[in-house]
Amino acid sequence: RLVKQKEKSDLLLVPIFKSKKMGEVVTELLEFDPYNIEIFDNKTYRLALKNPKFFKAFLQKTKDISLLAFLWHLYKSYVFRFWGYVPEFTLLVKFDEDTRAENLSKLKEAQSKLESCEVKAPIVLNDTEEMMFWKIRASSYSLAKLTPEDNRPAAFLEDMVVPPAEIPAFLEKVEEKLDARGLQYAVHGHGGDGHFHFYPLFDFTDPKTPERIFKIAQEFYDLAEEHGGNICGEHNDGIMRTPFLSHMFSAEELELFRALEHVCDPEDIFNPGKKVNPKFDIKAFIRGVN
């Protein structure tokens, strides 16, 4: 009652068929001050197309779109929005003006600007179709599990962030390195700040997996730093990133963290072993089952 509710905003759907375009597209979109730019990759979309049964249980829980409507828009969008091709990345762009007319005006401006970048970005006016795309985006991590039973997604590269202009080069190197290791993976993220969640798939029953994960973490955190980025964008550091905080902070800063934490928590009982006073052998604590 205190805050005037804004009218609904429609969706700008931006298919990226060449990942090298990503940085240019995101940079252009940021000029229009979007509310958000969400991203999911072609693997996520293909898994959605191939696994309609997954969404039956998922949609029964949320109850905001029927399975039939979801499937209708999923395949219709694949045929008519994307011309039977799966984009390397799909961007979902929203604006946050007061009225739907103002939002639509901005959407059209951004749409026109993207055309000059040779990117055709349709405006989705149908609420159900828009909801379908958001459901795919929300399901990216869970869809990654619909792979051979001897592999599961590993959440240890799920928080790296780079400046938007660095996105194409960063993504290219990440994908090259994951492909060179023969790893399957899914990607989603927040395009406005170049923030990505990578989920490579591993067989956790393989005794070599912990060592592989640790080495890949070292290499990829170096890569984020090389591109002017950060190993941790939103999920905090936790056990996994604590040994790698020198990528973000100097030895002096880390000592200040330790000293301050000790003043507040001399017995080290609050989140012990995270960020300061590391005590966990990461490789020993990685799960051993799929």
Side-chain angles (χ1 to χ4, degrees), residues 114-143:
L114 291 181
E115 285 180 1
S116 67
C117 305
E118 300 180 341
V119 174
K120 293 183 178 180
I123 296 173
V124 178
L125 300 173
N126 182 286
D127 293 353
T128 308
E129 183 181 6
E130 178 182 335
M131 181 64 71
M132 179 273 297
F133 281 109
W134 286 114
K135 291 300 182 187
I136 295 175
R137 165 63 183 83
S139 303
S140 181
Y141 175 74
S142 296
L143 284 167

Side-chain angles (χ1 to χ4, degrees), residues 7-289:
E7 294 181 13
K8 178 190 178 296
S9 171
D10 296 302
L11 174 71
L12 185 65
L13 180 66
V14 186
I16 305 290
F17 289 95
K18 295 182 180 178
S19 59
K20 291 182 179 180
K21 282 274 186 186
M22 179 87 82
E24 179 185 5
V25 167
V26 170
T27 301
E28 293 289 357
L29 286 169
L30 289 176
E31 293 295 320
F32 296 92
D33 192 25
Y35 175 70
N36 62 2
I37 305 174
E38 289 296 297
I39 296 173
F40 59 84
D41 68 345
N42 52 4
K43 298 173 185 67
T44 298
Y45 198 83
R46 287 195 177 100
L47 284 166
L49 289 168
K50 292 178 180 178
N51 295 279
K53 288 183 179 179
F54 163 81
F55 289 96
K56 183 176 181 180
F58 181 65
L59 297 176
Q60 283 175 343
K61 291 179 182 178
T62 58
K63 298 181 180 179
D64 47 14
I65 178 176
S66 72
L67 177 61
L68 185 61
F70 177 91
L71 295 178
W72 163 246
H73 286 289
L74 172 64
Y75 293 104
K76 188 181 77 169
S77 296
Y78 170 66
V79 174
F80 294 107
R81 298 290 193 194
F82 301 143
W83 316 287
Y85 297 95
V86 175
E88 287 194 32
F89 292 94
T90 301
L91 277 57
L92 309 179
V93 184
K94 299 279 282 187
F95 291 94
D96 193 31
E97 305 304 312
D98 289 333
T99 69
R100 190 170 189 175
E102 289 173 322
N103 277 306
L104 191 57
S105 176
K106 266 206 168 184
L107 287 167
K108 289 180 178 178
E109 286 183 52
Q111 182 186 48
S112 177
K113 183 65 175 179
L114 291 181
E115 285 180 1
S116 67
C117 305
E118 300 180 341
V119 174
K120 293 183 178 180
I123 296 173
V124 178
L125 300 173
N126 182 286
D127 293 353
T128 308
E129 183 181 6
E130 178 182 335
M131 181 64 71
M132 179 273 297
F133 281 109
W134 286 114
K135 291 300 182 187
I136 295 175
R137 165 63 183 83
S139 303
S140 181
Y141 175 74
S142 296
L143 284 167
K145 297 178 182 179
L146 302 179
T147 49
E149 290 184 4
D150 60 349
N151 281 269
R152 301 292 281 178
F156 69 104
L157 301 178
E158 89 286 19
D159 210 25
M160 294 187 292
V161 58
V162 296
E166 292 289 321
I167 289 175
F170 176 67
L171 281 178
E172 183 178 6
K173 288 182 182 177
V174 167
E175 292 178 344
E176 280 179 2
K177 290 178 180 295
L178 291 174
D179 291 341
R181 289 176 168 82
L183 291 171
Q184 297 182 59
Y185 55 93
V187 182
H188 66 260
H190 320 295
D193 54 2
H195 184 202
F196 290 94
H197 305 289
F198 301 95
Y199 296 107
L201 306 175
F202 290 89
D203 178 1
F204 284 91
T205 65
D206 185 342
K208 297 178 182 177
T209 291
E211 183 64 33
R212 291 184 72 196
I213 286 177
F214 194 79
K215 285 183 177 179
I216 291 172
Q218 288 178 305
E219 186 174 347
F220 280 68
Y221 294 161
D222 285 342
L223 188 61
E225 192 175 18
E226 287 171 18
H227 286 272
N230 201 316
I231 68 173
C232 174
E234 67 176 345
H235 288 174
N236 219 316
D237 308 313
I239 294 171
M240 184 66 211
R241 282 182 282 273
T242 290
F244 301 101
L245 291 182
S246 59
H247 286 270
M248 296 191 289
F249 306 107
S250 68
E252 182 182 14
E253 288 171 321
L254 291 172
E255 175 56 27
L256 286 171
F257 292 160
R258 189 203 64 74
L260 177 60
E261 199 273 345
H262 182 70
V263 170
C264 302
D265 179 25
E267 301 298 323
D268 195 26
I269 59 175
F270 298 125
N271 277 331
K274 296 181 182 179
K275 189 172 292 251
V276 298
N277 305 322
K279 63 175 66 176
F280 296 102
D281 178 351
I282 291 174
K283 287 176 279 188
F285 275 84
I286 290 176
R287 61 197 251 180
V289 296

